[in-house]
Amino acid sequence: TAAMNLDCIWHNLEYMECKWLAGKNARSDTNYTLFYWYEGLGNPEKCSNSSIHEGIFKCIFNFTFPKVTNTYPTISILIKDASEEIRPLCANKNPTTLVKPATPKAVALSKVNDDIRLEWSQPDTFPASCLYYEVKYHNGDKDTAHTIKVTFPCLHNFFFLHKVEDNRTSIPSVDPNTKYTFKVRAKPKPECYSSKLFSDWSEDKSIGAKSDSTFYFILIITIPLIIAVSTIILLFYLKKLKILILPPVPDPREILKRMFGEQNEDSQVS
């Protein structure tokens, strides 16, 4: 009946989010309650911000320390039911293994000469130099790109993954006629935290112009069509112009025929 598969994440050193499943033998209407405690808190605190969705229980509570703190106390978690029918679950967790940074925001791109400069915001909750960042970008066809990890910037027609300790980086010698798309994520440094959790990727940001193959395809079809129509129109007007400049010479037989035909008609009338 005890709660199982407890999983907690310390989001951006601001709040703890814990999720778990109901015990296999627990009743469907079991109402689990989470309590937490750590050294210096005094009495155990009840997590009141709880919810359940598709069978997954979740509870969120504030969990913050001063930014200058170098050591963090072990957090003890107790999940139980108000009745005595449910077996309680007790767990001790090292919070530094649960750290997940916030998604980098305010990602800005700029182009300086032949370089692309990328800059993003840093979270205020982390001590200085306790995060590093990965920058992922691609140029050309995204579907056929590959992912590689590099330490220093270099550029080919692939995906690239840069480890950057500052909140800015630059990509040199870019193609001005190519579109580049970037995104960034953060990860705690092992010397500060034991967590292996990355932040979520930031939204894609693009810069540069990508040549449109559709435009060239339409252009290839349209140009011969325009030339063909223009040629037909030109031939038509040339024919009319020829008639004006060199009118056709009348056939003498037709002239004589018309003259004698008119004389015969006049004699019959008389």
Side-chain angles (χ1 to χ4, degrees), residues 105-219:
K105 299 184 182 300
V107 179
L109 292 174
S110 60
K111 200 168 183 180
V112 180
N113 298 326
D114 292 332
D115 298 349
I116 293 179
R117 293 185 182 178
L118 178 67
E119 190 172 353
W120 55 91
S121 61
Q122 289 182 310
D124 298 330
T125 55
F126 281 84
S129 303
C130 274
L131 292 177
Y132 76 84
Y133 298 86
E134 287 189 351
V135 178
K136 191 175 185 180
Y137 66 94
H138 67 85
N139 62 341
D141 189 358
K142 182 178 180 180
D143 297 331
T144 58
H146 303 279
T147 302
I148 60 173
K149 289 187 177 182
V150 296
T151 304
F152 301 101
C154 87
L155 196 60
H156 305 286
N157 291 322
F158 302 109
F159 267 120
F160 296 90
L161 209 54
H162 293 193
K163 286 186 177 180
V164 183
E165 295 189 2
D166 205 352
N167 67 324
R168 63 181 63 87
T169 187
S170 62
I171 310 300
S173 304
V174 297
D175 184 357
N177 298 319
T178 301
K179 179 181 178 181
Y180 294 86
T181 302
F182 295 81
K183 56 185 176 182
V184 185
R185 69 176 179 178
K187 185 181 180 182
K189 285 187 178 180
E191 54 266 32
C192 297
Y193 308 98
S194 303
S195 175
K196 296 182 179 180
L197 299 176
F198 282 93
S199 73
D200 295 331
W201 286 106
S202 65
E203 294 183 357
D204 287 353
K205 287 283 187 178
S206 299
I207 192 171
K210 182 180 179 181
S211 58
D212 191 354
S213 57
T214 305
F215 172 76
Y216 289 108
F217 178 74
I218 295 174
L219 198 63

